[in-house]
Amino acid sequence: MQASWFRASSSANRLVLHSQSAPVRSACQFRLNGSSRPSLGLRTLSFSSRRTFPSRPTTDHSEIQAHSDGTINPFEALDTFARRHIGPCPSSAEQMLKALDPPCKSLDDFVKQVIPSNVLSSRDIQMSWADVPKNSKAPLQRDMSIQDHPLSETHLLTRLRRIAKKNKVARSFIGCGYAGTKVPEVIKRNIFEGPGWYTSYTPYQPEISQGRLESLLNFQTMVTDLTALPIANGSVLDESTAAAEAMTLSLSALPLSRQKRPNKTFLVSNRCHPQTIAVLGSRADGFGIKIEVGDVLKDSGKRIEELGEDLVGVLVQYPDTDGGVDGFKGLSEKVHKHEATFSVATDLLALTVLKPPGEFGADVAFGNAQRFGVPLGYGGPHAAFFACSEKYKRKIPGRLIGLSKDRLGDPAARLALQTREQHIRREKATSNICTAQALLANMSAFYAIYHGPGGLKAIAENVVATARTIQNGISQFGFQTGKRGKLDNSPVLFDTVVIGTGPKTDEIIEDAVKNGMNLRKIDDDHTGITTDETVEVADARRIIALFRRFSKNSDATYDSKSSTDPYHHPFHNLPRLDLPSEFKRTSPYLTHPVFNSHHSETKLLRYIHHLQSKDLSLTHSMIPLGSCTMKLNATTEMVAASWPEFSSIHPFAPLDQTEGYAILIAELQKDLAEITGFHSVSLQPNSGAQGEFTGLRVIRKYQEERPGKKRDICLIPVSAHGTNPASAAMAGMRVVPIRCDNVTGNLDLEDLKTKCEKHSEELGAIMITYPSTFGVFEPKIKEVCKLVHQHGGQVYMDGANMNAQIGLCSPGEIGADVCHLNLHKTFCIPHGGGGPGVGPIGVKEHLAPFLPGHPLVATGGKKAIAPVSGAPWGSASILPISWAYIKMMGGVGLTYATKITLLNANYILSRLKPLYPILYTNQNGRCAHEFILDVRKFKESAGIEAIDVAKRLQDYGFHAPTMSWPVANTLMIEPTESESKEELDRFCDALISIRKEIEAVEKGEQPKEGNVLKMAPHSQKDLIVGEWNRPYSREKAAYPLPWLKEKKFWPSVTRLDDAHGDTNLFCTCAPVEGSEDITCAAAPSPT
């Protein structure tokens, strides 16, 4: 199955990968039973075995089947993947090499001009095949045992099916924050599996993002309505990290004197989900917050009084992890009396029937929106929601969608209050979150739109009725039900019932598994059952029959279908849901027309595609965002995310039901360790920023065990992304900035030496990005690592730019101790319009014992830090995407892709260099995978700024590059390897044309105000409606280049008024004229 793409064009330069007789590495071994988990990618890494730098001619990108000797192999796979993933064909690559400034003879000569020779690696990337028997005779298995042969798309899917079948999909009643859901097929097919939705980027350019902005506004409205709180963000990572965000928000809301108190305490109900409590511990440590877990209602909240000025805030679960529902009105009043924050973890479906948190005094409400139409997915990704009261709107973490108006005065959505995003505050931040779960939030919003308020309430009532039916059936056999501490058989108020099972607990759990059901073992004496909308009559009967077998009357014959059975319990025609008045919801919700207009599939389908048509994604054109790596998200990589064997498994399912996941996770961990040059990998962090935090927490834990002073100094270059200092601050480290050279952009080594010597006894780590945030491979990176190590520090490498390293160099070889990866950048998980993401970390062997663990599933190192995500493997259901990418590319394909990434960036640089200044190249005039286009001089010469160029690019059908980062009023361009030369040329032609438009202003041919750049972008309405009295033509505005007449993406609105949107903050669905019964009919007072 050697890919034809890798055949050399002649026998003289053919590259032999591995012969069939070559020895095969032993398979990755791990146990799947008991408490063991898949290995953390443990490997013995040796750099002593070296080979010559890999020579790869551009002409071996062969698409023909004939061999150089005239023979043909009719069984050779023709559906190889690398040639589909990589944009430029061989002839294009040759042309691009010749067009470079200066030109280059070969791809490998070019690479040597980009990457310092002391950094360039000569180590082969070898893949792992964990489930392949050593002496396998099957052809597919034998081929897979060959280390570096990529799988064709067909063979990849065959193997993935085989792995998926090792997962057992049981009926889950585990609950604990995760529930089964019926994902409407119209949403799954058109959103979850729709490239128009999953290949778009975070909506920083609102004029070409109105579709998903409107959808996220719907999500926010849904959350504010159901929680009865006025402000909600566009989602956060998961419920457990949302709890951590609520805690740090509570801290930041306190007066500075209270923030600095040594015994400051966050009081947490012992009825919160256990994974949430564990994640709180991970986050609290860096802020010096004590987590106290207990009965918050005991003695009428006496503990609040005792804590007094030390109280940071209080967190409760509603309904709680046992299904209990308590009244918290008095508690909230007591918390507010002490000027602390009251937070409530809750369930959106429950809030359709239960009194919402905003009505009993909550300041913050958060939870998991997963049961609103998002699959279980072995723990993620899911959209967590976060709502707060008005006074916290400038402290709320994450992204906030707000309404503003465009140049024509029409309403339009945008990301509001971006300057209050926490990571922008760098080391002063209380949160490092810079992403969300936009794709999943959109799914949940459409789920609410599809069902409407009445449909959601009907689902909730059915869930409660199902839980009560099961409760009543079980209690007839002598079992006490309710919640821990109060097993009085009182009817449950939502979806969870706890049964006192005493010494029979383990037997009952095991018998349920044998019958295809997973119950929750709460402790040695209690079993939990959580119902959801997927539970059917047969499931309820099986559960009741199960408990009857363990009752004192187990010798009696039971037939649930027989009306003569003395233990028969009716499953139909139950009385309507009856809730105590103190807990019953009476306030309306989801009254806006959007939630009451699209209940047929026809209407919803049209609404979905109406919104999709407003958004530019990779289905339209390249998205050249620097530091974002918007590469191909191939369909073959994506397809398994919808398979029930991956999507329908609870994160806390028994390990012997998740053998397929164990194999895939072990292989991916090992492959990532191989690629990065590390010993071990943890996949738990569910975003890049979470990976940063996790890596630094691991370093802190390691340093704490070493003798000497407290090592909590973190050196960070001034050019670093804002999440770096924010993550360091969250990990409890003191940030010391390192200067960069103004000419080269490289680290100032003299400043680094001075800081290392000054803080030698307290140096904990340095955070560096490689290639640098300026898009250059720093030549002295190894010297930097050596210097930090000499002074006792650890090297943390930010993996945001890993797409420029794979196969050519690696963090482990360079000298890093920790590195996080962005699987949603480098390894093809789509950005989803602003999430999901996965941010695993790789570590050297001495740090492996500290990789994060989990309270419910054994994972992590022997000295594991507390978990950083609610699920043991974070966003597990999208890991097959990166796994598939690696397996189909193979080591050689991944390396070649990196070379093309570098070539594409330098080709654009060479074409634009005569017209635009370029910031920061190396001594050979080369950039890495991205570069900075400097447009600052045009402000003086023509009044044109980076934002004007960015908006004008929309008229040419392109998303703008990264704007004003890392240097203000510049554009950072990253094309990725997936873009063809033709697409690169279209982009270059657009910027060249824009430069001519700027020149027309410089020459006085166009005015400095009201020119085509200042008025960009131009919507269809802008061009058609009204008089045209501008100094340029309509054709110039709409079709500045000929090819746009055949292929044109239209911005749906004109340029937005950012100041208006922030001054008049409005973060729910826009009111509809003439409608009285709508959500948020009046905007709040101006901020």
Side-chain angles (χ1 to χ4, degrees):
M1 282 187 352
Q2 181 175 340
S4 63
W5 178 72
F6 293 127
R7 283 196 300 272
S9 58
S10 69
S11 59
N13 61 9
R14 182 172 304 186
L15 176 68
V16 179
L17 300 180
H18 294 276
S19 69
Q20 291 283 348
S21 60
V24 175
R25 269 192 320 188
S26 58
C28 172
Q29 301 294 323
F30 49 85
R31 292 192 299 130
L32 296 170
N33 299 315
S35 61
S36 297
R37 290 308 300 165
S39 73
L40 292 166
L42 303 180
R43 59 196 290 274
T44 301
L45 183 64
S46 174
F47 298 132
S48 59
S49 178
R50 312 286 288 183
R51 58 167 170 74
T52 305
F53 173 72
S55 177
R56 170 66 58 217
T58 57
T59 52
D60 69 356
H61 189 303
S62 174
E63 294 193 17
I64 60 175
Q65 192 179 11
H67 293 187
S68 57
D69 57 4
T71 62
I72 188 170
N73 180 358
F75 301 107
E76 192 162 23
L78 297 181
D79 60 336
T80 53
F81 176 71
R83 63 195 177 96
R84 307 296 190 188
H85 174 82
I86 296 174
C89 66
S91 59
S92 293
E94 295 284 2
Q95 293 171 27
M96 291 160 68
L97 286 168
K98 293 176 181 177
L100 294 179
D101 183 15
C104 213
K105 292 182 179 179
S106 72
L107 190 58
D108 291 316
D109 286 344
F110 160 72
V111 170
K112 292 174 183 177
Q113 294 175 10
V114 174
I115 303 177
S117 58
N118 67 326
V119 171
L120 203 57
S121 174
S122 57
R123 185 172 57 89
D124 278 317
I125 296 176
Q126 296 182 330
M127 301 294 99
S128 61
W129 312 102
D131 72 332
V132 180
K134 242 181 175 181
N135 301 316
S136 172
K137 301 295 183 182
L140 178 60
Q141 291 182 331
R142 185 175 65 250
D143 286 342
M144 286 191 299
S145 298
I146 298 171
Q147 295 304 302
D148 196 36
H149 285 191
L151 292 178
S152 69
E153 295 189 51
T154 300
H155 285 113
L156 183 284
L157 292 174
T158 299
R159 182 160 190 266
L160 193 53
R161 281 286 186 194
R162 184 157 58 90
I163 290 175
K165 287 179 180 178
K166 294 179 182 292
N167 290 330
K168 301 173 185 176
V169 182
R171 173 67 76 188
S172 178
F173 296 93
I174 297 173
C176 205
Y178 304 90
T181 183
K182 295 178 180 178
V183 184
E185 291 297 324
V186 64
I187 295 174
K188 185 179 81 172
R189 181 66 174 268
N190 294 284
I191 303 294
F192 191 59
E193 299 174 348
W197 289 87
Y198 66 68
T199 69
S200 56
Y201 188 66
T202 304
Y204 286 120
Q205 296 293 330
E207 297 85 0
I208 51 175
S209 309
Q210 285 300 296
R212 61 190 183 281
L213 283 168
E214 180 175 328
S215 182
L216 291 172
L217 204 60
N218 293 339
F219 177 82
Q220 291 180 179
T221 303
M222 174 188 79
V223 172
T224 57
D225 273 18
L226 291 173
T227 60
L229 287 166
I231 303 289
N233 66 19
S235 73
V236 286
L237 301 177
D238 64 18
E239 179 171 343
S240 298
T241 55
E245 298 291 350
M247 176 182 66
T248 54
L249 180 149
S250 302
L251 177 66
S252 69
L254 293 174
L256 193 59
S257 59
R258 288 180 63 175
Q259 292 183 36
K260 294 182 177 180
R261 291 179 69 90
N263 294 314
K264 53 183 178 290
T265 301
F266 192 62
L267 187 60
V268 180
S269 169
N270 56 7
R271 291 295 189 262
C272 288
H273 295 313
Q275 70 270 21
T276 295
I277 296 173
V279 171
L280 282 170
S282 178
R283 187 72 64 89
D285 187 59
F287 290 96
I289 300 173
K290 295 181 179 180
I291 301 293
E292 183 174 321
V293 181
D295 183 354
V296 296
L297 293 174
K298 185 178 181 181
D299 298 328
S300 300
K302 182 181 178 182
R303 184 57 182 151
I304 294 173
E305 300 283 354
E306 293 173 346
L307 286 169
E309 292 285 296
D310 285 330
L311 181 67
V312 172
V314 175
L315 171 63
V316 299
Q317 191 96 34
Y318 172 86
D320 65 34
T321 195
D322 286 359
V325 177
D326 293 301
F328 294 119
K329 180 71 172 176
L331 182 69
S332 69
E333 292 173 351
K334 187 160 291 189
V335 172
H336 293 150
K337 179 182 176 183
H338 286 78
E339 298 182 340
T341 303
F342 181 51
S343 299
V344 178
T346 189
D347 183 305
L348 291 179
L349 191 64
L351 299 185
T352 64
V353 294
L354 295 175
K355 182 178 291 187
E359 293 181 10
F360 56 75
D363 299 298
V364 174
F366 63 85
N368 189 357
Q370 174 264 318
R371 72 189 310 162
F372 272 32
V374 179
L376 287 164
Y378 204 36
H382 306 139
F385 61 90
F386 195 104
C388 65
S389 58
E390 187 79 16
K391 67 178 180 179
Y392 296 110
K393 64 188 175 188
R394 292 188 178 273
K395 295 182 179 294
I396 188 172
R399 295 179 180 135
L400 197 62
I401 314 301
L403 282 176
S404 186
K405 62 180 181 179
D406 73 354
R407 175 167 49 78
L408 301 179
D410 293 327
R414 59 181 285 275
L415 291 176
L417 298 178
Q418 291 185 47
T419 55
R420 53 102 223 146
E421 289 187 27
Q422 281 292 316
H423 72 273
I424 294 174
R425 301 179 64 226
R426 298 178 71 85
E427 65 269 18
K428 296 181 181 179
T430 57
S431 170
N432 69 347
I433 189 169
C434 70
T435 190
Q437 299 281 25
L439 183 67
L440 300 314
N442 287 328
M443 290 180 68
S444 292
F446 281 115
Y447 179 91
I449 290 167
Y450 196 41
H451 289 292
L456 293 176
K457 185 175 182 181
I459 293 171
E461 289 179 338
N462 279 356
V463 167
V464 178
T466 301
R468 289 183 174 183
T469 297
I470 293 173
Q471 178 187 26
N472 291 342
I474 292 173
S475 63
Q476 290 184 48
F477 301 124
F479 288 96
Q480 295 298 302
T481 65
K483 62 180 182 179
R484 283 175 293 175
K486 193 179 180 183
L487 298 175
D488 58 0
N489 292 332
S490 296
V492 297
L493 298 184
F494 189 48
D495 65 350
T496 299
V497 56
V498 172
I499 306 102
T501 46
K504 298 180 180 179
T505 300
D506 288 338
E507 291 181 75
I508 290 172
I509 298 289
E510 291 171 7
D511 195 63
V513 169
K514 292 177 183 177
N515 285 276
M517 299 180 294
N518 291 331
L519 310 184
R520 179 184 172 193
K521 181 181 178 180
I522 296 176
D523 55 34
D524 290 340
D525 298 312
H526 298 89
T527 300
I529 296 173
T530 296
T531 61
D532 55 58
E533 66 169 318
T534 69
V535 178
E536 298 179 352
V537 172
D539 302 316
R541 286 187 171 128
R542 282 193 298 161
I543 287 182
I544 294 172
L546 166 71
F547 278 88
R548 181 172 186 178
R549 289 195 293 274
F550 287 91
S551 73
K552 296 177 181 179
N553 301 317
S554 59
D555 56 335
T557 302
Y558 173 66
D559 181 6
S560 64
K561 298 179 181 179
S562 171
S563 59
T564 61
D565 189 330
Y567 294 101
H568 172 66
H569 186 80
F571 290 96
H572 305 287
N573 301 320
L574 300 175
R576 294 288 296 177
L577 176 64
D578 183 30
L579 293 173
S581 58
E582 63 178 309
F583 300 128
K584 188 174 183 178
R585 179 163 195 155
T586 58
S587 55
Y589 51 87
L590 305 186
T591 56
H592 191 278
V594 74
F595 297 104
N596 297 277
S597 304
H598 307 287
H599 301 330
S600 74
E601 181 165 333
T602 301
K603 286 188 174 182
L604 185 68
L605 183 65
R606 288 172 180 166
Y607 182 53
I608 288 172
H609 281 269
H610 169 65
L611 296 189
Q612 179 182 313
S613 70
K614 299 180 179 183
D615 288 4
L616 186 144
S617 68
L618 286 176
T619 64
H620 298 99
S621 58
M622 68 182 287
I623 300 179
L625 283 156
S627 196
C628 297
T629 316
M630 299 293 291
K631 62 168 67 178
L632 171 70
N633 312 122
T635 306
T636 299
E637 297 162 357
M638 299 288 295
V639 66
S642 299
W643 294 355
E645 295 92 342
F646 290 117
S647 66
S648 299
I649 294 181
H650 193 285
F652 309 143
L655 301 184
D656 59 4
Q657 295 177 11
T658 60
E659 291 186 9
Y661 260 120
I663 290 168
L664 188 142
I665 287 170
E667 286 191 12
L668 181 58
Q669 287 173 324
K670 195 168 185 181
D671 286 345
L672 293 176
E674 171 76 13
I675 289 167
T676 56
F678 285 119
H679 177 274
S680 303
V681 168
S682 170
L683 296 169
Q684 190 178 107
N686 50 13
S687 79
Q690 282 290 90
E692 292 179 19
F693 173 69
T694 306
L696 292 172
R697 289 283 300 132
V698 166
I699 288 174
R700 286 296 314 276
K701 190 73 172 178
Y702 166 77
Q703 295 285 27
E704 286 171 4
E705 294 203 351
R706 298 176 66 193
K709 287 187 178 182
K710 183 178 181 181
R711 289 187 171 272
D712 62 350
I713 293 291
C714 187
L715 306 177
I716 299 180
V718 294
S719 62
H721 191 275
T723 56
N724 284 185
S727 297
M730 286 169 52
M733 305 188 84
R734 292 177 289 159
V735 174
V736 174
I738 302 297
R739 291 197 298 265
C740 293
D741 185 277
N742 290 331
V743 177
T744 65
N746 295 334
L747 277 174
D748 185 329
L749 284 183
E750 288 304 314
D751 189 49
L752 177 63
K753 290 177 183 177
T754 300
K755 301 288 175 60
C756 283
E757 291 170 359
K758 179 179 180 181
H759 302 288
S760 184
E761 294 184 355
E762 298 174 295
L763 181 58
I766 186 172
M767 295 187 81
I768 51 176
T769 303
Y770 202 71
S772 74
T773 54
F774 295 131
V776 177
F777 284 94
E778 296 194 31
K780 296 185 178 180
I781 186 65
K782 287 190 173 182
E783 185 178 335
V784 169
C785 296
K786 183 178 180 181
L787 180 61
V788 172
H789 286 146
Q790 287 174 347
H791 289 274
Q794 296 288 286
V795 176
Y796 178 97
M797 184 172 286
D798 186 318
N801 294 340
M802 192 67 198
N803 208 49
Q805 286 198 49
I806 297 179
L808 300 179
C809 57
S810 70
E813 290 178 276
I814 290 170
D817 300 288
V818 186
C819 178
H820 91 267
L821 304 172
N822 291 314
L823 298 191
H824 50 288
K825 294 182 181 181
T826 313
F827 295 95
C828 293
I829 288 176
H831 285 73
V838 180
I841 62 166
V843 298
K844 289 288 183 66
E845 186 172 5
H846 64 284
L847 297 178
F850 306 103
L851 289 175
H854 196 275
L856 299 178
V857 180
T859 186
K862 294 180 180 179
K863 301 178 181 180
I865 62 170
V868 295
S869 301
W873 289 279
S875 297
S877 68
I878 54 177
L879 296 178
I881 299 170
S882 297
W883 176 90
Y885 172 65
I886 292 170
K887 298 306 184 190
M888 289 192 293
M889 292 293 284
V892 176
L894 290 170
T895 304
Y896 188 79
T898 307
K899 296 178 183 181
I900 295 298
T901 292
L902 303 177
L903 177 61
N904 280 359
N906 280 273
Y907 174 71
I908 297 177
L909 182 151
S910 297
R911 281 207 63 190
L912 297 180
K913 187 163 64 171
L915 300 170
Y916 294 90
I918 306 296
L919 285 182
Y920 305 123
T921 57
N922 66 13
Q923 69 275 16
N924 298 316
R926 307 298 191 198
C927 66
H929 65 308
E930 61 188 3
F931 65 93
I932 300 173
L933 199 72
D934 189 0
V935 298
R936 291 176 294 180
K937 70 174 186 177
F938 303 133
K939 183 176 182 179
E940 181 178 350
S941 66
I944 300 299
E945 301 183 62
I947 190 171
D948 301 314
V949 177
K951 300 306 180 184
R952 182 56 174 156
L953 272 170
Q954 295 177 17
D955 287 329
Y956 288 82
F958 287 106
H959 193 292
T962 298
M963 192 173 65
S964 289
W965 190 85
V967 178
N969 205 21
T970 64
L971 299 169
M972 176 173 270
I973 298 170
E974 179 187 358
T976 86
E977 72 275 12
S978 297
E979 301 301 338
S980 66
K981 179 179 180 294
E982 292 77 11
E983 184 71 358
L984 302 182
D985 283 333
R986 278 193 289 271
F987 179 69
C988 290
D989 290 344
L991 280 171
I992 291 169
S993 178
I994 288 173
R995 179 63 185 94
K996 293 176 182 178
E997 293 171 351
I998 296 172
E999 186 179 16
V1001 179
E1002 291 173 325
K1003 291 180 177 179
E1005 297 170 4
Q1006 287 285 310
K1008 284 194 173 183
E1009 296 297 331
N1011 59 60
V1012 71
L1013 288 107
K1014 287 293 185 182
M1015 300 296 282
H1018 300 83
S1019 66
Q1020 289 176 314
K1021 177 182 175 180
D1022 187 28
L1023 295 171
I1024 296 172
V1025 177
E1027 296 293 326
W1028 190 264
N1029 54 3
R1030 302 179 194 175
Y1032 55 93
S1033 67
R1034 285 184 170 97
E1035 183 176 4
K1036 176 68 175 175
Y1039 304 114
L1041 289 175
W1043 53 265
L1044 287 165
K1045 294 179 180 179
E1046 296 182 12
K1047 182 184 177 183
K1048 170 75 175 177
F1049 178 85
W1050 290 95
S1052 59
V1053 295
T1054 56
R1055 193 180 303 196
L1056 264 69
D1057 186 336
D1058 292 334
H1060 176 84
D1062 284 349
T1063 305
N1064 301 276
L1065 187 61
F1066 192 87
C1067 298
T1068 55
C1069 292
V1072 178
E1073 290 185 21
S1075 176
E1076 296 179 0
D1077 187 19
I1078 59 175
T1079 302
C1080 292
S1085 301
T1087 303

